[in-house]
Amino acid sequence: MAKNTGTKNIVYMATKDGALTAAMPMVNGSLIQLFLTNRGVSAYYVGLFSTLVSIITVVGMMLCSYLSEKLPKPLKQYQWLYFLQTAVYLAMIPIGCFTMTPMALFLVLSLVACSITFLSSWSGILGYKIPYMTIPFDAYGTYTAASGAITGIVGVVSSFAFSAIINRNLGGNSYLVCICITSLLMLLSWYCTQRMKPVNDVYD
C-alpha cells in the first residue's frame, strides 16, 4: 500500500514540478514583464517590478525559514501554500480581460506577483522536506530523474508555445490566453499537492 502511494506521489510531484516550470514565466518572470511592456508600462517600472520580486524572494525566504520550522505538519502547510498561490493567480484573469492605466496595472501586478513570490518562497523552504515525507527512500532517485526530465522538456516546450501564442496574437488577446493557460497550470500544481500523502514518518 505504501509503495503504491509512493509511486503515485512520484507522479504528482514530478507533474507539479513540470507545471510550475511552465507557469513561472507568466507569474513573475520574463513573460509577465513583457505583458507590462505591451500594456504601456515604462521600462523603469518594469525594472522596478523585477526588483520588487527579487527583494520579496529574499525577504520571504528569510522570514519563512523561521516560520516553517516552528509550524507543525509541513505537508499540510505545503498544500495550503499551493492553494493560496493558485487562488491569488486566478485574479490575473480579469486583469487580462480589461484595460487599465499603465500605473494601475503595474501596482496590481506587483501586488499579485509579490504575493505569489512570498508564498512560493515559503513553499520553497518547505520543499526540501516534502520528498522525504512522500517518496519512498528507495525510489528517491527515480523521482529526481523523472522531475529533472519533465521540467527540462516542459521548460523548452512551454517557452516555444508561449512565444508562438504571443507572436501570432492568438485569440486576439494573446496575453489573456497565456494567463488562462498559466491558471490551468497553477490549478494542476495545486491539485497534485493535494493528492500527495505521507509515506515516511519524518518531520511530522
Side-chain angles (χ1 to χ4, degrees):
M1 185 67 176
K3 185 174 182 180
N4 186 45
T5 301
T7 301
K8 289 180 179 179
N9 286 342
I10 290 173
V11 174
Y12 292 137
M13 284 284 288
T15 303
K16 181 267 300 178
D17 293 343
L20 278 184
T21 298
M24 280 303 109
M26 200 63 201
V27 174
N28 55 17
S30 56
L31 291 180
I32 204 69
Q33 294 173 33
L34 196 59
F35 175 53
L36 287 167
T37 302
N38 178 264
R39 291 296 178 91
V41 177
S42 69
Y44 171 81
Y45 284 105
V46 172
L48 181 59
F49 173 87
S50 180
T51 301
L52 289 172
V53 168
S54 298
I55 291 171
I56 292 297
T57 300
V58 175
V59 173
M61 291 183 73
M62 292 175 65
L63 290 175
C64 297
S65 61
Y66 175 80
L67 285 173
S68 63
E69 295 299 327
K70 295 296 182 183
L71 296 175
K73 300 189 178 300
L75 182 57
K76 284 296 181 185
Q77 288 184 58
Y78 196 70
Q79 291 168 335
W80 270 106
L81 288 166
Y82 272 89
F83 168 76
L84 292 172
Q85 288 178 65
T86 303
V88 172
Y89 191 79
L90 291 177
M92 286 286 293
I93 295 175
I95 293 172
C97 290
F98 301 107
T99 302
M100 304 173 67
T101 65
M103 180 54 68
L105 182 64
F106 164 75
L107 292 173
V108 172
L109 282 191
S110 294
L111 179 61
V112 170
C114 287
S115 298
I116 294 175
T117 299
F118 180 82
L119 295 168
S120 179
S121 296
W122 192 337
S123 62
I125 292 292
L126 288 169
Y128 81 92
K129 295 181 176 182
I130 305 307
Y132 294 112
M133 296 178 67
T134 58
I135 307 298
F137 295 132
D138 60 355
Y140 194 80
T142 301
Y143 158 66
T144 55
S147 177
I150 289 173
T151 54
I153 293 169
V154 167
V156 173
V157 171
S158 63
S159 295
F160 280 109
F162 280 130
S163 295
I165 290 169
I166 292 170
N167 290 335
R168 297 178 183 180
N169 194 29
L170 293 182
N173 188 343
S174 58
Y175 287 99
L176 177 59
V177 174
C178 291
I179 288 169
C180 290
I181 293 171
T182 302
S183 296
L184 292 175
L185 291 168
M186 295 292 288
L187 285 167
L188 177 60
S189 68
W190 167 69
Y191 172 79
C192 288
T193 60
Q194 300 306 303
R195 300 295 297 173
M196 290 189 291
K197 296 181 176 14
V199 297
N200 300 314
D201 188 21
V202 292
Y203 300 118
D204 270 338

